[in-house]
Amino acid sequence: MAKREIPVKKNEMITLTFEDLTHEGNGVGKINGYPLFVQGGLPGEEAEVKVVKANKNFGFGRLMNVKTKSPERVDPPCDVYYKCGGCQLQHMSYDLQLEMKRNQVKSVMKKVAHLEHVPVHPTLGMEDPWRYRNKVQIPVGEKDGELITGFYQKRSHRIIDDMDTCIIQDEVNDDMVDVVREIATKLGITAYDEKKDRGTLRHIVVRTGERTGETMVVLITRTEKLPYQQQLIDEITKHHPHVKSIVHNINKQKTNVIFGNKTKVIWGEPYIHDTIGDITFGISARSFYQVNPKQTDVLYEKALEYAQLEPDDVVVDAYCGIGTISLFLAQKAKKVYGVEIVPEAIADAKDNAKINNITNAEFFVGEAEKVMDWWKVQGLKPDVVVVDPPRKGCDVDFLDATINMQPKRIVYVSCNPSTLARDLRILEDGGYETKEVQPVDMFPQTTHVECVAWMSRE
Ligand code: SAH
């Protein structure tokens, strides 16, 4: 067999026309059938590209000069967009972002789930896709004797030291990070130094309830003690009455995981509140809560629509977190059973049921796959199963147990289209039919894609 030649060489300058976008939002162009991936390239554009890597079957290039611009190209409004690893899609119109996300879902439905005929609806986007995040988690560093806060530069652990603002964060949180950093600098608190594994303050986390305006500040330190704790509390609370909770978390490990295992409420409430629809939620420092509150409404409304609940229905909400979806569905169902692996989240879920006088929801701590099996043995027969697993998707034992219990409908909320498609295939083989898939844009300007899929028994 003739060896196929690689048509480009490293460091060569070429002219490339982009035909497509990858799931990461990179432009794809071909030279004699050989694909090159280029960050920043948009379909339809002709550009000068420098080859930076030429593998056997594909290569990578750097965008040097765009000769013909796509009408979908926009000037990224963020000053540090090209340095920061946080956003990937600010150089394309929002319409193109939404289309790209839908295409990604269609593609995995076809390639992974073998479901090319399932309707994948146009992505539900935001009217204003900026300042949507209700939680900022930002690393702390030092420069010229002052504390700095900024996201990491792309593919590195170097903090961007000239980041004034992050325009996908709620402004309240953005400002609060500045306030805390300035107070900590004034008090002489040191930043954690990752290389030397020394110093104190690692991350500042700020979360605000969009509808209540209540803010939680979390300070994560390497040290057991938070130095100047009382002064910090006094300074923060003196001028910022929206702060309802200050929490200290200790992370002694040499790791890039943000939170450590020890969490102490050092001032105020253990919770902040937010509302989704008519329901109020208490959210503690370690519990998962969707980061885009406006789109959470859209996502949960879709999940509710797909669940097609009748007053007599029994529902399982697996991977339920603090019970957000469970309590939302409980209003329309006879009974909801929630299961979640993080004990603090289940404690929150139980409290949330109480706050809202919801008595037909019960919550269990454990692995969804084990608890589901146990429920089956107990004779539980859910009419509807709702799942919202983390990126790795559902455990196959969970899916088997679900198939065995034969609910009428399954609603699958997913933040990773690839594992969604894998799991839909398993459920299809177990007798379910995928009716529709609805992508919802929870993370504008980034490549993340959220979906809700609706399945029913044939
Ligand atoms: N439905 C919730 C949370 C979704 S995030 C909401 O919309 O807010 C996914 C949740 O799954 C997290 O809370 C995580 O702690 C939990 N989780 C991860 N692995 C799990 C497992 N094996 N069993 C049960 N829950 C799990």
Side-chain angles (χ1 to χ4, degrees), residues 316-334:
V316 163
D317 177 21
Y319 311 88
C320 70
I322 62 172
T324 36
I325 297 179
S326 322
L327 298 180
F328 199 66
L329 300 182
Q331 297 168 299
K332 300 257 155 66
K334 184 168 143 205

Side-chain angles (χ1 to χ4, degrees), residues 90-137:
Q90 285 195 19
H91 63 284
M92 62 178 83
S93 70
Y94 190 49
D95 282 345
L96 182 59
Q97 295 184 23
L98 297 176
E99 188 188 317
M100 177 192 134
K101 293 183 186 193
R102 181 191 191 188
N103 287 340
Q104 178 183 349
V105 178
K106 278 189 182 168
S107 149
V108 293
M109 282 305 138
K110 186 170 164 198
K111 288 187 192 145
V112 182
H114 310 294
L115 295 170
E116 51 253 80
H117 302 301
V118 163
V120 175
H121 296 297
T123 312
L124 296 172
M126 297 185 78
E127 217 163 280
D128 177 19
W130 300 101
R131 298 258 174 228
Y132 59 83
R133 278 188 67 102
N134 59 11
K135 179 170 86 168
V136 57
Q137 318 194 91

